DNA sequence: GAAGAATTTGGAATTATTTGCAAGAAAAAA
DNA sequence: TTTTTTCTTGCAAATAATTCCAAATTCTTC
């Protein structure tokens, strides 16, 4: 294998895992730790990663490039989000066509989805950007106007983009899910978009951390019984979970 | 087998695999490693690939700032590019509708364009991403399939996105501009795109550093006399500049 | 078509680079 | 502290690049 190919695979691996040890890379690439160390040092000099003892960590800059508005969120509950994301990715079959929403949780899912070689349809710039270095993932981007803070494409073009397609799965986020008031979101512009996504997908998976259960945002998206699958943490309020299940929602509780 | 046929097969092979070793090609083409090396060196001079130790790598012609950190390319001529970009931005009136191509030079222009509060239409993910934090810039993104490595949206959706609009200016890059052979670019998929952009814009500005004057890439875009405005460095070959001006091109020479 | 020139090809010798290994230094962990 | 792990450094083997040359091929020219 060529040196540069190795370095690219290290880069890709890091983008998925965020952190990894030299031994891990050495095993993966079937080269000595010395060689990995040299590669890592080179990559460090380019600025894409930061060295740690025994390993390397994706440098924040690159993260920001891929997900700028989503970063500040990556604080307290980020571990939990990662667990949800990992689990949610495991629900996807290799090669499936997947619609992906904007939003930080869905973005995390995106990172874990690379090995499944999916065909992705998205209106999220961060997700498009994340995948733009991978050849394994085919990404279709809807057109539309950039909604500044969220990095999401909106408007009639974007909605139209989803009206022409059929996907296996849609992975969605939302601002809140209440048994009475259903799924709600924070931005009116996103609602049309998400409705179009739901219509285009055979199966819809909502990913949200447990703090969003029982919460309400400003704008109504759909009622609770229209949610097919929900992935959340296992510290979710049991009463809400029970009520949702009674409404026919397939609730997956993820433990970390 | 003819040399040219060999080189084309190397090109095709690389487009699939992105990387390959000389031995791999030598086996595939049933010629000696020496010959493969010569072919590779020739292809390198045309710019379609980059050499690495033991092999070759498909060159990411239009390097995306930040997105592909493995390319230390953005060093030598980057100052010159900045000058071109700054000047090119000065040609834009505040509030104009601007179509922006993918490509590193155009990306640099994008950075300088923020104070003009333009309305931007683009198929470039890096540019979309750049502006997604600014509220001053309204960005319309065409839909399409992400072309890996370039971060550009391609395909019929993308072309269609430009067919419906009219813009004041299009800012374009290209792989080469030759007096005889006109404007050429490295990727066939980009050609349709760029043609649609040119059609949609009242005025077309090509930005390219002087090394691209007289250069030829694989795919034909348009003839030299169809270029309205060209912005390049003042170290451009005077003979070429004169010939272009004779053909009616408005050549702007930028000194740093 | 044939002789000669020009080009292309494959290979050998030399030089340069990369890789893996090992011993001592440095840093984390126990 | 000691023990373990990781890092650095120097070195030798493996691998690749460069240069040069001869054989093979193609192109001119008569």
């Amino acid at each position: 294998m060529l040196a540069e190919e190795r370095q690219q695979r290290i880069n890709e691996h890091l983008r998925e895992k965020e952190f990894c040890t030299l031994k891990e890379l050495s095993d993966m690439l079937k080269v000595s730790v010395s060689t990995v160390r040299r590669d890592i040092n080179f990559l460090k000099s380019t600025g894409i990663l930061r060295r740690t003892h025994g390993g390397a960590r994706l440098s924040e800059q690159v993260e920001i490039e891929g997900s700028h508005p989503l970063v500040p969120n990556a604080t307290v509950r980020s571990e939990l989000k990662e667990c949800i994301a990992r689990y949610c990715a495991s629900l996807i079959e290799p090669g499936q066509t997947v619609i992906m929403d904007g939003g930080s949780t869905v973005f995390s899912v995106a990172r874990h989805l690379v090995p499944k070689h999916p065909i992705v349809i998205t209106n999220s710039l961060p997700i498009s950007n994340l995948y733009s270095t991978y050849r394994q993932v085919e990404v279709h981007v809807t057109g539309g106007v950039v909604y500044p803070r969220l990095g999401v494409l909106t408007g009639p073009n974007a909605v139209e983009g989803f009206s022409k397609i059929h996907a296996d799965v849609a992975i969605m986020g939302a601002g809140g899910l209440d048994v009475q008031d259903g799924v709600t979101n924070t931005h009116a512009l996103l609602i049309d978009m998400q409705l179009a996504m739901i219509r285009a997908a055979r199966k819809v998976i909502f990913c949200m951390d447990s703090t969003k259960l029982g919460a309400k945002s400003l704008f109504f998206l759909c009622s609770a019984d229209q949610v097919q699958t929900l992935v959340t943490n296992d510290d979710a309020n049991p009463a809400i979970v029970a009520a949702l299940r009674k409404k026919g929602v397939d609730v997956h509780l993820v433990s970390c």
Side-chain angles (χ1 to χ4, degrees), chain A:
Chain A
M1 188 187 291
L2 297 170
E4 217 168 319
E5 189 174 355
R6 240 172 22 228
Q7 287 158 16
Q8 174 156 329
R9 289 194 54 190
I10 291 173
N11 183 8
E12 289 175 1
H13 188 73
L14 261 178
R15 264 163 206 257
E16 271 179 60
K17 304 258 297 174
E18 201 160 342
F19 174 83
C20 65
T21 65
L22 298 193
K23 189 158 282 177
E24 195 182 326
L25 292 171
S26 160
D27 290 347
M28 182 179 91
L29 301 166
K30 309 257 190 297
V31 290
S32 73
V33 179
S34 292
T35 303
V36 170
R37 187 170 282 124
R38 273 183 273 250
D39 284 337
I40 290 279
N41 283 338
F42 170 77
L43 290 172
K44 176 193 160 191
S45 75
T46 73
I48 82 150
L49 56 78
R50 219 151 35 87
R51 286 275 356 225
T52 65
H53 278 266
R57 153 158 270 135
L58 197 60
S59 78
E60 295 84 348
Q61 270 195 338
V62 175
E63 258 313 298
I64 287 164
E65 180 90 22
S67 65
H68 71 289
L70 310 175
V71 167
N73 241 339
T75 46
V76 192
R77 312 247 330 151
S78 69
E79 240 83 327
L80 297 177
K81 262 186 187 171
E82 275 302 301
C83 296
I84 295 178
R86 219 183 339 261
Y87 180 85
C88 187
S90 76
L91 297 176
I92 308 299
E93 304 292 324
Q96 276 194 320
T97 307
V98 184
I99 290 176
M100 304 198 81
D101 193 11
S104 61
T105 311
V106 179
F107 181 82
S108 299
V109 178
R111 276 213 301 253
H112 292 285
L113 222 54
V114 176
K116 306 270 182 163
H117 296 204
I119 297 171
V120 171
I121 302 120
T122 188
N123 67 329
S124 157
L125 285 181
I127 290 179
S128 313
N129 225 53
L130 170 70
Y131 287 139
S132 68
T133 47
Y134 299 103
R135 316 188 115 220
Q136 305 99 311
V137 184
E138 182 179 327
V139 187
H140 295 246
V141 183
T142 67
V145 182
V146 176
Y147 193 90
R149 238 158 27 74
L150 302 178
V152 169
L153 302 175
T154 61
N157 283 345
V159 174
E160 200 189 316
F162 286 111
S163 69
K164 294 182 202 159
I165 56 149
H166 293 283
D168 295 312
V169 191
I171 300 173
M172 318 274 296
L177 168 51
D178 185 82
V179 180
Q180 305 297 320
D181 294 337
V183 184
T184 48
N185 216 337
T186 43
H187 297 268
L189 282 164
L190 299 184
I191 299 292
D192 283 342
M193 205 73 184
Q194 293 191 301
L195 286 175
M197 289 178 179
I198 290 172
R199 272 195 299 271
R202 201 159 45 76
K203 179 179 178 184
V204 179
I205 301 175
F206 274 91
C207 295
M208 41 184 109
D209 64 273
S210 55
T211 61
K212 296 195 174 153
L213 295 192
K216 297 168 202 171
S217 291
L218 267 168
F219 300 99
F220 174 78
L221 176 62
C222 66
S223 64
D225 51 12
Q226 286 183 279
V227 177
Q228 295 172 31
T229 306
L230 169 69
V231 180
T232 190
N233 310 110
D234 59 355
D235 64 346
N237 183 332
I240 298 179
V241 171
L244 287 172
R245 283 190 168 144
K246 202 168 167 189
K247 289 215 171 206
V249 181
D250 182 18
V251 183
H252 295 244
L253 297 178
V254 181
S255 63
C256 284

